Amino acid sequence: MKKIGFLSFGHWSPSPQSGTRTGADALLQSIDLAVAAEELGADGAYFRVHHFARQLASPFPLLAAAGAKTKRIELGTAVIDMRYENPLYMAEDAGAADLIAGGRLQLGISRGSPEQVIDGWRYFGYVPEEGRTDADMARRHAEIFLDLLRGEGFAQPNPRPMFPNPPGLLRLEPFSAGLRERIWWGAATDATAVWAAKLGMNLQSSTLKFDESGEPLHVQQAKQIRAYRAAWKEAGHAREPRVSVSRSIFALVNDMDRAYFGGSEGEDHFGYIEPEKRAVFGRTYAAEPDKLVEQLRQDEAIAEADTLLLTVPNQLGVDYNAHVIEAILKHVAPAMGWR
């Protein structure tokens, strides 16, 4: 069995060819797709976070709204860029959204990817300490956030408060028990995957990672996952970790599918998303269901993971994206032994 969800970047464009033309469209359609995915039997609705872009950017209002409209499906991010985040404010927002959703949040966090502007986190008021990088700052914000989610008091109460306080030091409220175990780290390298394991975070591996061996993406990711699980075991955590991989997968079951994705690339490619950092980008899987099953059986990282996130072309509209998800659940998942 494998959990299957979708991952949306929430792109929007005023182009007449786009089915998602405004920020309001992106948000409201994201909620509608979460509802539709739950009705189809999918396990997760995940959203990407990008600042200064015509994409989804502020996850917690969206997660709270989707949580209020659904009952079962997991609601998550992949990923929140921690360079931009105030960990204390984030802990309050995350606690509130998780309580609204009944404890269904699965928050993916990370250093984030290259953004639309230069050092965008500076506009949010964050600057790395002397001798530190923006990646160091992101990991420090993450560590503070994780500590806050333990729910331990740390703030000295006012001796003359406006409202009565419970005894002892105060924590941030609202607090959602269990959320600490539902935090994931989006790792682009083997080293950060091992670091995430030591801190007790679940692992998210994307459709790309920094190239560390020249091998295909799925092979590098499988090695990353195995290194992560070894580090988790060595750390002695009591629970079993979760691991997700993201993939662009389209079952071609009608003419519209073939028109949109029939000519999609079938190989990984290598390139640079940052200066001097070579990355490997995963292929798009697009084929008739029987051929798709054969191809997916060769993907080592999918085999290693317990959760598969399907990246969806959100600007093609809610109905079509629901069809994309349903086609995988109906035509591919049973043959792969995921259902």
Side-chain angles (χ1 to χ4, degrees), residues 173-334:
E173 302 289 356
F175 173 71
S176 184
L179 179 57
R180 172 61 179 80
E181 296 187 352
R182 288 178 273 116
I183 306 301
W184 307 57
W185 185 261
T189 66
D190 292 357
T192 51
V194 168
W195 172 81
K198 292 178 179 178
L199 268 63
M201 287 187 280
N202 300 311
L203 176 66
Q204 288 182 337
S205 205
S206 183
T207 52
L208 66 86
K209 73 181 291 290
F210 291 134
D211 177 31
E212 298 182 273
S213 67
E215 296 171 295
L217 173 69
H218 73 100
V219 175
Q220 293 197 46
Q221 282 185 324
K223 291 181 177 179
Q224 180 193 56
I225 293 168
R226 288 191 285 269
Y228 165 82
R229 288 207 170 104
W232 183 279
K233 183 177 180 180
E234 184 178 350
H237 300 303
R239 67 179 179 88
E240 287 296 315
R242 288 184 60 184
V243 175
S244 73
V245 294
S246 301
R247 290 288 186 272
S248 298
I249 305 174
F250 301 97
L252 307 182
V253 298
N254 61 31
D255 289 342
M256 185 175 292
D257 298 330
R258 285 182 278 274
Y260 281 138
F261 301 107
S264 297
E265 59 184 291
E267 296 182 355
D268 294 348
H269 65 279
F270 295 81
Y272 291 84
I273 57 173
E274 294 183 6
E276 301 179 2
K277 287 189 177 181
R278 189 169 185 255
V280 54
F281 300 81
R283 59 174 291 184
T284 294
Y285 289 97
E288 283 71 22
D290 56 340
K291 294 181 181 178
L292 199 55
V293 168
E294 292 178 10
Q295 295 171 1
L296 294 174
R297 283 178 175 156
Q298 305 305 312
D299 193 307
E300 295 181 21
I302 291 179
E304 289 279 353
D306 60 78
T307 301
L308 174 63
L309 301 182
L310 307 169
T311 61
V312 294
N314 72 281
Q315 289 186 91
L316 294 181
V318 173
D319 290 344
Y320 184 73
N321 280 282
H323 159 74
V324 167
I325 296 167
E326 183 179 26
I328 298 300
L329 294 175
K330 180 178 179 180
H331 298 289
V332 176

